[in-house]
Amino acid sequence: MGHQIKPRIGIYVFNGAEVVDWAAPFGVMAVARRLDPEIDVFLISDSGTPVVATGNMLVTPRYSLDHQPTMTAFIVPGGIGTRTEIHNHRLLRFVRELPETTLLCSVCTGSWVYGVIGLLDGLPATSRKEADPSEPMTPLERLKVYAPKVEINRARVVDVGRIITAGGISSGMELGLYLLERHGYEEKFVNEVARIM
């Protein structure tokens, strides 16, 4: 089959997390599990208590940051709440202390979290390219504020090795499918997941 690593995908959720940002990669893994039940995907919040995502969606995570679950990839979604999360020292420390083997992924403004830590310095990365009507700057422009040394990239998914950033609310689906590839699943498997979806 050619896959080396069984995906254990942890997705961080927080108050004001954009629903499609985290639900899309979760949904990809949920469908992939039908074909390979060893795939695991789960939600993590700061304290492990439920959070309220956009649209007032109440979400109950499986873990808190303190559980430090073993993960092959960690995804930080975007949403209005990232403006708070970039100052969440528990989250920033958690990301810094993840093992080198854990892929660091983001959807939309989730890349700001990696930006403020300095992980994107000198690297290409992306974020959402369209601003909400009330916003003077696009999230992509704001990424440059949080990470002045980042190389702005307008692609949907930008892979620089350990760090994979995806731009746009709906790009989480592409990130999910791409993560199956990065875990060594063959194109046929990934295409079948996409076909089912």
Side-chain angles (χ1 to χ4, degrees):
M1 276 296 278
H3 41 274
Q4 307 77 23
I5 317 160
K6 289 296 176 187
R8 271 187 61 81
I9 313 293
I11 305 176
Y12 185 65
V13 287
F14 47 89
N15 289 322
E18 190 71 53
V19 170
V20 177
D21 279 14
W22 57 264
F26 196 103
V28 169
M29 295 303 156
V31 170
R33 273 180 67 107
R34 298 179 198 170
L35 306 175
D36 182 355
E38 288 187 59
I39 292 171
D40 197 11
V41 60
F42 47 83
L43 301 177
I44 307 168
S45 74
D46 184 330
S47 64
T49 55
V51 297
V52 181
T54 56
N56 289 325
M57 183 185 204
L58 189 66
V59 185
T60 306
R62 192 191 304 175
Y63 295 110
S64 76
L65 293 178
D66 291 335
H67 285 114
Q68 297 183 313
T70 306
M71 297 177 286
T72 57
F74 179 64
I75 301 175
V76 181
I80 192 75
T82 44
R83 286 156 180 76
T84 309
E85 292 302 318
I86 57 171
H87 305 293
N88 179 348
H89 294 292
R90 278 172 50 82
L91 172 64
L92 303 182
R93 187 171 65 245
F94 178 83
V95 170
R96 276 195 202 96
E97 291 174 357
L98 283 170
E100 280 292 315
T101 50
T102 305
L103 297 174
L104 301 178
C105 311
S106 65
V107 178
C108 200
T109 55
S111 59
W112 296 356
V113 169
Y114 301 136
V116 296
I117 295 173
L119 292 171
L120 302 179
D121 289 359
L123 297 173
T126 195
S127 183
R128 188 167 156 219
K129 294 144 199 91
E130 305 301 327
D132 283 344
S134 59
E135 288 286 332
M137 286 174 99
T138 68
L140 195 57
E141 291 164 338
R142 202 176 289 277
L143 175 60
K144 193 79 175 160
V145 174
Y146 297 130
K149 295 182 187 155
V150 72
E151 290 173 28
I152 294 297
N153 188 304
R154 299 188 65 83
R156 292 279 289 174
V157 177
V158 178
D159 179 351
V160 293
R162 184 184 180 205
I163 301 173
I164 305 167
T165 54
I169 293 175
S170 63
S171 66
M173 194 173 292
E174 281 132 300
L175 176 67
L177 293 166
Y178 184 70
L179 277 175
L180 291 172
E181 285 178 36
R182 275 296 304 263
H183 283 77
Y185 287 86
E186 290 164 3
E187 193 180 359
K188 190 175 154 217
F189 180 95
V190 179
N191 286 347
E192 182 63 3
V193 172
R195 185 193 69 77
I196 293 167
M197 292 184 80

